[in-house]
Amino acid sequence: MTSSSAPPTGAYVIAKALRDLGVTVIFGIVGIPVVEIAEQAINLGIRFIGFRNEQAAGYAATAYGYLTGKPGVCLVVGGPGVLHAMAGIGNSSSNAFPMLLLAGSSETHLVTKGAFQELDAISLLAPHTKLAARPPALESIPHLIESAYRTSWYGRPGTGFVDLPADLIQGAADSAEDIPQTAPLPLPPASGADEAKLSKIARLLKNAKAPLLVVGKGAAYAQAESSIRALVDQTSIPFLPSPMGKGVLPDSHPANTASARSTALQHADIVLVLGARLNWIFHFGDAPKWNPAARFIQVDIEPSEIGRNGGDAELGIVGDINVVVPQLLSQLSGWTYSPSSSPYLSALAEAKRKNEDKAAKAAAKASLPLTYAHAFDVIKRTLHTLSPPDDGGIVYVSEGANTMDISRSVFPVQHPRLRLDAGTYATMGVGLGYAIAAHEAYNASPSSPEAVSGPKPGRKKIVALEGDSAFGFSAMEVETMARYQMDVLIFVMNNGGVYHGDSDTAEEWLERQGAAGGKGLRSTSLGWEVRYEKIAEACGGLGFFVRTPEELKRATEEGFRTNMPVVVNVVIESGKKGKLEFGWQASAKKGKKGK
Ligand code: ADP
Ligand code: MG
């Protein structure tokens, strides 16, 4: 209650509905008319994290949803606020991360009159959300917020949207008794599979020459690590994690085929897909990347996913990994994949050895300017002395085409949900919002019901590995981090451009920039050796500009121990020297040549 006499305002009713649902943090940006909602929420004990652009706030809410397994909440103004937040909606639906989006809108009686920030947000967002609705009256606000929250969460996650007109936010109820209450919702119901189908799948696995388990970020979101661990430990079936499925099983697990990925795809005949989609990340389940005879058994909570692309519709299971995997394990009744001789296992071992050798050589190759591989090796070694990977004390956020591709295999992840990247949409610009979400999820308040426990209790260091281009999308969020005293350690891998950048040297870059009558800078060009670290300094954080391995090591050590946001600006090779192919393109080409 606001007070015993005054009837509650719409803003209070909204904030209270969120609080009673168990919401502990809201990501967003205030303005007219939503500022009152945020103020009431803060008064009720909800944390409000105010961003510099709704895009990053939306990304943060979705990542928070992924990490905590419950919808992240985002609050924005109408019109332009909604348009910016649409990026978060796209991220939510493409990655299947739950988000509740609340936006203000103009007074209902002014609609079509050219009101302040007027936008028909419901029409715009309905096709992109699981539910988009506007309460017709103040009394219906709690029900609608609960409905949008639940809808975003249950089934395959996505976005629930509630449009909140200014007159409702600013209006007052006749009396407090008219306002219904919300309460925390039970976890989404989880269903299993029928035993006949399971026994058929168990038989196929037992008879497989080359079984493979694919573990995706749906398994990480489902927090299914114990059941999947039991399955792999008992059966010894080789597994392949997706980029964000890394850590559901420790990267160091002997059955991990990540460093022999192409070989695993080429050989696997029975593939059990747990919480991953056969989309571009898994080459649509198609030959020649995959064995043309491979059969894909999908386990997914979303029925429309079953049978999509390479999936076998008859074998697929609509169910929750946490229920289905233990069911399957009991059907396998003690069976272990241990063929007396297996060309599959030998090929995997051989490919692993070769690829890991190659990576070690690249990592050891010191040159100036630094290469990605050597710079990451220096960062990794330094971080590991400060926080051994088994402790799970570091959350990695990674984006930028090459930065993400190359760092993925460098930094081992031993526990689930400790690595976030550009994801299904390959969205560049998510990094800083994700880092804030991770900081909030893991460090904000250990007693909060939404706090993630992780493998070891205690604070986690958030480390963001950013390409210079990716960093630029949301660089101002460093100020957000500083304001909320978030000790995020950001590395900007600075090659002066998108992909490989533009020029090999400063002289070449300057000549191109000024090229009289010439073609000028390439489309991949960014500024030459931009001093990104100064953004951190300007906001009260710490900045380092480094060129050498020694400088990088020192900056990493100091940055790790610092209690505020740190930007380590790492100059790496660019232009023709730094030329690299985007990982998935290179592998697609290789696949074509292969067959
Ligand atoms: P990745 O990018 O790691 O390959 P995707 O995002 O493509 O993963 O796929 C994740 C899949 O996991 C989605 O299809 C989603 O419906 C599914 N999923 C999410 N939670 C569960 C769950 N509890 N049980 C089964 N499937 C789930
Ligand atoms: Mg770059």
Side-chain angles (χ1 to χ4, degrees):
M1 278 297 304
T2 31
S3 87
S4 52
S5 53
T9 62
Y12 174 81
V13 170
I14 294 161
K16 184 159 181 304
L18 294 172
R19 205 269 316 266
D20 293 348
L21 274 168
V23 172
T24 56
V25 59
I26 298 173
F27 305 91
I29 302 185
V30 297
I32 293 171
V34 302
V35 59
E36 257 321 295
I37 302 172
E39 288 301 306
Q40 294 287 0
I42 292 168
N43 291 343
L44 288 171
I46 297 177
R47 271 168 68 79
F48 182 82
I49 307 291
F51 282 70
R52 305 306 300 264
N53 186 308
E54 291 89 351
Q55 183 175 295
Y59 292 152
T62 60
Y64 189 80
Y66 169 70
L67 292 173
T68 60
K70 281 179 177 184
V73 179
C74 185
L75 176 69
V76 300
V77 298
V82 169
L83 294 182
H84 295 169
M86 269 196 89
I89 296 175
N91 202 56
S92 155
S93 57
S94 70
N95 289 292
F97 294 166
M99 170 168 76
L100 171 65
L101 177 66
L102 306 175
S105 60
S106 38
E107 290 81 352
T108 31
H109 68 277
L110 294 179
V111 164
T112 75
K113 286 189 157 181
F116 177 69
Q117 298 187 331
E118 187 181 331
L119 170 75
D120 180 2
I122 304 279
S123 302
L124 178 70
L125 299 186
H128 307 283
T129 56
K130 291 179 77 182
L131 184 149
R134 165 190 299 169
L138 211 146
E139 291 70 28
S140 37
I141 288 174
H143 166 73
L144 201 54
I145 286 182
E146 181 194 284
S147 215
Y149 185 90
R150 181 174 41 76
T151 306
S152 77
W153 192 19
Y154 287 17
R156 173 185 276 168
T159 297
F161 172 66
V162 183
D163 178 86
L164 298 162
D167 40 330
L168 283 198
I169 297 171
Q170 287 150 6
D174 292 339
S175 86
E177 284 75 59
D178 296 344
I179 309 295
Q181 299 264 328
T182 56
L185 298 176
L187 294 175
S191 57
D194 75 82
E195 297 293 329
K197 194 183 257 186
L198 281 166
S199 88
K200 197 168 163 191
I201 293 170
R203 225 172 319 133
L204 278 168
L205 280 172
K206 287 180 184 174
N207 291 321
K209 287 203 168 62
L212 180 70
L213 216 68
V214 169
V215 182
K217 65 177 173 302
Y221 171 74
Q223 308 190 358
E225 46 271 18
S226 339
S227 55
I228 295 179
R229 181 73 192 253
L231 177 68
V232 170
D233 282 349
Q234 190 208 291
T235 65
S236 297
I237 299 177
F239 72 89
L240 177 67
S242 77
M244 280 177 62
K246 268 167 80 79
V248 170
L249 294 148
D251 270 343
S252 64
H253 196 289
N256 185 6
T257 67
S259 58
R261 191 179 196 265
S262 311
T263 307
L265 268 51
Q266 290 285 309
H267 283 78
D269 57 359
I270 299 293
V271 186
L272 182 62
V273 184
L274 301 176
R277 283 168 286 182
L278 298 169
N279 56 15
W280 65 277
I281 291 179
F282 284 110
H283 315 281
F284 314 101
D286 280 345
K289 279 302 285 181
W290 285 91
N291 172 3
R295 287 181 83 175
F296 295 90
I297 305 165
Q298 301 158 284
V299 178
D300 205 294
I301 40 171
E302 170 58 38
S304 69
E305 198 57 41
I306 307 297
R308 196 155 74 105
N309 297 334
D312 190 320
E314 275 179 41
L315 291 173
I317 293 174
V318 180
D320 192 294
I321 298 166
N322 273 313
V323 182
V324 175
V325 167
Q327 278 185 307
L328 180 62
L329 191 56
S330 86
Q331 284 275 1
L332 287 166
S333 55
W335 168 80
T336 303
Y337 175 66
S338 55
S340 50
S341 88
S342 160
Y344 173 50
L345 291 181
S346 328
L348 285 176
E350 172 65 12
K352 254 194 205 182
R353 197 188 48 74
K354 249 173 82 194
N355 293 339
E356 285 168 16
D357 249 32
K358 207 168 125 195
K361 278 202 190 103
K365 206 177 136 224
S367 62
L368 282 184
L370 286 163
T371 60
Y372 282 104
H374 190 57
F376 288 145
D377 189 60
V378 171
I379 296 170
K380 176 181 82 172
R381 284 171 194 281
T382 312
L383 288 177
H384 283 186
T385 61
L386 297 159
S387 173
D390 282 343
D391 289 357
I394 297 178
V395 185
Y396 291 99
V397 175
S398 179
E399 62 167 343
N402 292 322
T403 299
M404 182 171 79
D405 270 353
I406 298 167
S407 68
R408 181 167 50 240
S409 52
V410 172
F411 294 84
V413 184
Q414 295 289 84
H415 302 279
R417 297 172 297 283
L418 295 184
R419 184 180 175 283
L420 297 164
D421 70 18
T424 306
Y425 240 6
T427 312
M428 298 307 158
V430 293
L432 301 202
Y434 276 17
I436 290 169
H439 194 282
E440 194 60 27
Y442 286 107
N443 296 334
S445 131
S447 61
S448 132
E450 292 190 20
V452 183
S453 56
K456 253 197 173 177
R459 292 179 59 79
K460 289 192 194 304
K461 191 78 189 183
I462 316 299
V463 173
L465 303 162
E466 300 275 318
D468 52 347
S469 164
F471 177 73
F473 282 87
S474 305
M476 204 59 217
E477 302 303 342
V478 171
E479 189 279 321
T480 308
M481 295 171 180
R483 196 166 4 110
Y484 294 101
Q485 298 175 290
M486 296 177 166
D487 55 336
V488 178
L489 173 55
I490 302 166
F491 293 92
V492 177
M493 308 309 291
N494 190 347
N495 65 353
V498 181
Y499 302 125
H500 46 74
D502 178 317
S503 313
D504 284 331
T505 62
E507 291 70 34
E508 195 186 319
W509 190 95
L510 282 167
E511 193 187 303
R512 281 203 189 165
Q513 186 194 33
K519 289 189 175 130
L521 291 166
R522 304 309 308 177
S523 61
T524 51
S525 188
L526 291 170
W528 186 262
E529 294 191 1
V530 175
R531 302 298 295 264
Y532 295 108
E533 78 283 2
K534 291 189 187 292
I535 295 179
E537 290 169 7
C539 302
L542 217 56
F544 297 89
F545 180 75
V546 307
R547 287 182 194 281
T548 68
E550 296 72 32
E551 289 166 348
L552 179 55
K553 180 169 184 278
R554 244 178 292 130
T556 305
E557 283 166 349
E558 212 175 309
F560 187 89
R561 297 198 179 104
T562 301
N563 238 343
M564 43 188 160
V566 174
V567 171
V568 182
N569 187 0
V570 190
V571 174
I572 55 165
E573 63 181 22
S574 75
K576 290 184 282 296
K577 257 192 267 147
K579 188 157 183 166
L580 276 159
E581 269 183 300
F582 199 28
W584 67 271
Q585 272 177 339
S587 59
K589 262 191 220 157
K590 219 189 298 164
K592 245 178 237 149
K593 263 187 262 152
K595 290 245 160 146

